[in-house]
Amino acid sequence: MPGHTENEITVRAPLDLVWDITNDLENWPQLFSEYASVEVLERRGDTTTFRLTMHPDDNGKVWSWVSERTPDERSRTVRARRVETGPFQHMDIHWEFSEVPGGTRMHWRQDFAMKPDAPVDDDWMTDNINRNSKIQMALIRDKIEQRDRERRAAAPATG
């Protein structure tokens, strides 16, 4: 059965700031703890094709793949998919951002299926993505909230 994950977190920061930071692909290695590098391969309209490379795993293996990503600022959504699927038959990602009391809700959905010869199955990958998404979302939340505090502290007082 194909894998499906949904994870969300509230970031105590304005929607525009959360949107801008999370959609700055070139800065993902500073935002996510798992990515060693991002290489933009092509920009076509609003769609970016890019290579993500992770830090070595516990066995020293470096995972890398090509994805394409299309943000829609008007609807505050992002659609992405792996182009080089690796062990996945497919990997489709949908991010949604919305204003909520106290900040911005960031919601990530991933739909995927592992190839029959992949080293792990759909259930294992679902658990892995759910675990890691929570870690990455909390890290991203903390970094954006810190940036927002610094931005507000540096802003001149009005009145």
Side-chain angles (χ1 to χ4, degrees):
M1 183 160 163
H4 173 82
T5 65
E6 294 206 38
N7 290 279
E8 68 179 60
I9 197 165
T10 298
V11 182
R12 289 185 314 271
L15 176 60
D16 286 342
L17 183 64
V18 176
W19 176 262
D20 289 346
I21 291 173
T22 58
N23 284 290
D24 181 0
L25 282 174
E26 288 84 354
N27 266 330
W28 275 12
Q30 288 73 49
L31 190 61
F32 291 82
S33 64
E34 61 191 342
Y35 299 139
S37 67
V38 175
E39 177 189 3
V40 173
L41 303 173
E42 180 183 19
R43 291 190 193 277
R44 201 174 51 257
D46 293 332
T47 300
T48 303
T49 303
F50 59 100
R51 175 172 295 285
L52 273 175
T53 302
M54 297 182 78
H55 294 289
D57 67 16
D58 293 339
N59 299 318
K61 178 153 177 60
V62 174
W63 296 92
S64 179
W65 63 90
V66 173
S67 290
E68 69 176 24
R69 188 169 197 281
T70 306
D72 179 353
E73 191 167 4
R74 189 183 52 71
S75 67
R76 300 298 185 161
T77 61
V78 178
R79 295 218 177 262
R81 69 180 184 91
R82 282 192 180 203
V83 176
E84 286 180 4
T85 58
F88 294 92
Q89 285 180 338
H90 69 90
M91 167 62 85
D92 299 306
I93 300 167
H94 186 231
W95 285 8
E96 298 172 310
F97 300 80
S98 56
E99 288 183 291
V100 295
T104 301
R105 176 180 162 261
M106 188 168 63
H107 181 259
W108 294 353
R109 183 174 68 236
Q110 293 174 275
D111 291 295
F112 60 91
M114 304 307 294
K115 291 179 179 172
D117 62 347
V120 299
D121 64 13
D122 293 338
D123 290 339
W124 187 95
M125 188 55 73
T126 298
D127 290 342
N128 185 62
I129 290 172
N130 278 326
R131 233 183 352 269
N132 193 51
S133 291
K134 288 172 180 51
I135 292 166
Q136 295 304 315
M137 288 178 123
L139 183 64
I140 290 166
R141 176 201 60 210
D142 294 349
K143 288 179 178 181
I144 293 174
E145 288 177 356
Q146 177 64 34
R147 175 103 51 98
D148 186 48
R149 284 190 296 275
E150 291 167 358
R151 186 177 60 95
R152 283 187 283 117
T158 59

